Amino acid sequence: MARAKITSVRGVKDILPEESPRWQRVEALARETFARYGYSEIRVPVFERTELFARSIGEETDIVNKEMYTFNDKGGESLTLRPEATASMCRAYVQHALYSQPGVAKLFCIGPMFRYERPQAGRLRQFHQIDAEAFGSLDPAVDAEVIVMLADFLSAAGLKDLSLQINNLGDAECRPAYARALQEFLRKETTNLGPEVQERVERNPLRFLDSKDPDHRAIIARAPTIDLHWNENCQKHLGAVCDRLKGAGIRFEVNPRLVRGLDYYCLTVFEVTSRNLGAQNAVCGGGRYDGLVEELGGPPTPAIGFAIGMERLLQLIGGEADESAAPASPLDAFLVPLGEKAAAEAFALAGELRKGGLRVDLAFGGGSMKSQMRRADRSGARYVLVLGEDEIAKGTVSLRDMRESRQEELPRAEALSKLLAGRR
Ligand code: HAM
């Protein structure tokens, strides 16, 4: 009886060979763009101590409350697959004292993130982010530079029709006053919404603003907004960011209702959305988190960054890039050995050609000349090298140019130099 197939987990996808080139191009573009702004790559682990995410993203957030892949390892330690990279990058920044280097530390990270969300179009349980973070400056010019870099990357990736929204979530002085005003409003408005909602309003009223529930959204639409509470510092900061962005020719909108699903933010927050993505319309989100490094045991270090969702980005880039793409890895040569002795020689010859920098494959497992030639044809290789008993006896190889449909028998060394001379 045939055994049952094992499929991948819900909300988790394979990136197949024909899709990989698009991923590689986008990653290469991010690396090139970010390098022009002085960013270096950091690779942080895919799992961390659970406490790291609980302490940074916030105990009351949906991410920490409902969406983390948390497990005890065999030593009984609670670990979590990273739901985002900012917390890990801050942890690494503190652990390796990256703050001891002068200037702004600019880091980026590319890789998979894990959230136990309900899978739907644009929402996965394993997804990928391109994440950039700048540590060590309060200067609003850094906020602007981060956003300009993001816009630069998105436009180089060919994305159009995006909308950039910016808000200022207040600082340590004015945010508590706003939270109190919001709490007062919500206490009155949520009396019929059950104890769970009311507890949330008591513990962290700002988190109510994330709710997707239509009844809650109606209340949120009437709730006081942060702009009524901005102090001079926040107004100046936002004004300076906006001025720089206008100067750089970036189109954006200030939206005092923009909130983010993570607790660590202060001052500038922003989101890039697209009309072409459906319900999950955010391509990128980010903002300042001036207290987080200190919260994780480091020195007081203001910081700001963003993360782009790669699946959503690729969805927007669409099929165009695919059509223009070269085949995943075109072969230069395909070897067809006829007989066992030829198979051993072909194996060695393939090695020599590869050492010379060529992309080479060979027919394994024997078979008739006809079936091997069919394999050679399907491989898409420019040249096919046939090694039969005759060729072995004479020390030659039959070299067939598949593009020109021409075949010639050449001494082995000559065939080798011909192929190597034509290499890309
Ligand atoms: P985030 O808004 O939670 O922010 O995620 C950033 C982006 O990741 C989203 O805009 C979206 O494109 C993508 N994304 C999030 N969840 C999913 C999912 N389940 N499936 C597919 N794509 C998803 C953060 O993660 C912050 N760490 C951003 C940041 C960096 N803030 C400061 N620095």
Side-chain angles (χ1 to χ4, degrees):
M1 206 177 67
R3 307 285 302 268
K5 267 187 244 163
I6 299 174
T7 56
S8 63
V9 172
R10 204 160 105 84
V12 174
K13 283 196 175 162
D14 298 304
I15 298 166
L16 296 171
E18 66 260 28
E19 298 168 298
S20 293
R22 304 177 65 214
W23 286 75
Q24 287 165 359
R25 276 198 300 277
V26 164
E27 287 166 5
L29 186 62
R31 291 192 166 91
E32 274 164 38
T33 309
F34 296 177
R36 278 191 278 114
Y37 290 79
Y39 282 72
S40 314
E41 183 166 2
I42 180 168
R43 300 188 189 198
V44 289
V46 293
F47 60 91
E48 300 267 4
R49 293 176 211 278
T50 301
E51 191 196 349
L52 172 67
F53 301 115
R55 220 200 283 175
S56 41
I57 299 170
E59 302 272 6
E60 297 294 325
T61 59
D62 279 353
I63 297 181
V64 170
N65 245 330
K66 304 184 193 156
E67 297 169 3
M68 294 211 301
Y69 278 94
T70 297
F71 58 97
N72 285 338
D73 71 3
K74 296 213 188 315
E77 181 163 21
S78 178
L79 301 175
T80 293
L81 299 187
R82 63 181 184 194
E84 58 120 43
T86 312
S88 302
M89 285 160 82
C90 289
R91 192 237 348 108
Y93 178 84
V94 173
Q95 184 171 341
H96 305 288
L98 301 182
Y99 45 80
S100 52
Q101 289 154 21
V104 176
K106 295 174 169 181
L107 305 173
F108 73 92
C109 174
I110 302 177
M113 310 294 154
F114 309 86
R115 295 184 194 175
Y116 189 78
E117 293 193 83
R118 203 164 51 78
Q120 60 181 87
R123 202 201 268 157
L124 294 162
R125 289 183 172 170
Q126 175 176 318
F127 59 98
H128 297 75
Q129 285 186 345
I130 299 176
D131 184 309
E133 313 286 352
F135 294 92
S137 176
L138 266 175
D139 189 338
V142 175
D143 308 36
E145 191 192 62
V146 159
I147 296 171
V148 168
M149 179 171 87
L150 170 65
D152 195 354
F153 168 72
L154 294 174
S155 116
L159 263 61
K160 290 178 218 102
D161 293 334
L162 297 175
S163 130
L164 167 63
Q165 303 213 333
I166 299 184
N167 192 12
N168 184 302
L169 291 184
D171 62 11
E173 183 194 86
C174 66
R175 187 130 62 135
Y178 170 59
R180 273 196 305 279
L182 182 66
Q183 194 171 47
E184 255 171 58
F185 169 85
L186 291 176
R187 272 180 189 149
K188 281 186 249 142
E189 297 286 331
T190 57
T191 43
N192 299 326
L193 295 182
E196 208 181 301
V197 171
Q198 284 167 329
E199 266 168 45
R200 200 176 201 192
V201 167
E202 289 310 312
R203 279 201 306 265
N204 191 340
L206 289 156
R207 283 275 66 89
F208 186 82
L209 301 177
D210 285 344
S211 175
K212 306 280 182 295
D213 182 310
D215 292 340
H216 299 185
R217 297 297 328 158
I219 298 171
I220 293 164
R222 286 184 280 111
T225 47
I226 181 76
D227 50 333
L228 308 171
H229 294 264
W230 283 334
N231 60 16
E232 204 189 330
N233 173 45
C234 292
Q235 279 172 6
K236 265 173 70 183
H237 195 93
L238 181 63
V241 176
C242 292
D243 285 348
R244 294 276 164 128
L245 291 180
K246 282 183 201 143
I250 307 269
R251 287 226 310 266
F252 64 93
E253 189 194 330
V254 174
N255 175 4
R257 294 194 179 274
L258 177 70
V259 288
R260 304 265 307 128
L262 304 93
D263 271 352
Y264 48 60
Y265 292 112
C266 62
L267 296 167
T268 310
V269 287
F270 52 95
E271 230 163 55
V272 176
T273 54
S274 165
R275 278 186 274 127
N276 307 321
L277 277 178
Q280 303 303 315
N281 65 353
V283 190
C284 173
R288 258 196 184 276
Y289 48 94
D290 291 344
L292 183 54
V293 171
E294 200 176 359
E295 181 63 34
L296 295 176
T301 309
I304 178 164
F306 62 76
I308 301 165
M310 286 186 77
E311 282 80 1
R312 294 185 194 174
L313 177 74
L314 285 164
Q315 192 186 331
L316 288 174
I317 294 174
E320 268 168 57
D322 267 347
E323 281 152 33
S324 64
S329 63
L331 289 174
D332 297 304
F334 191 91
L335 274 65
V336 170
L338 301 170
E340 262 183 42
K341 191 152 178 252
E345 296 210 10
F347 194 89
L349 187 57
E352 277 181 65
L353 291 168
R354 287 172 181 146
K355 264 191 216 132
L358 295 181
R359 296 173 180 188
V360 179
D361 202 357
L362 58 159
F364 293 104
S368 68
M369 167 88 169
K370 198 168 155 207
S371 77
Q372 293 204 48
M373 282 310 290
R374 217 176 307 132
R375 275 186 260 168
D377 203 29
R378 268 197 308 240
S379 78
R382 167 80 196 269
Y383 291 100
V384 176
L385 283 76
V386 182
L387 272 173
E389 272 170 31
D390 261 13
E391 283 90 351
I392 300 227
K394 289 190 273 177
T396 59
V397 59
S398 292
L399 183 67
R400 183 187 288 223
D401 183 331
M402 300 300 272
R403 205 183 295 160
E404 310 283 334
S405 296
R406 234 188 302 121
Q407 183 163 324
E408 54 187 338
E409 191 176 333
L410 296 172
R412 200 85 58 87
E414 208 176 303
L416 208 77
S417 28
K418 180 164 178 170
L419 285 175
L420 291 173
R423 117 192 93 180
R424 279 157 290 192

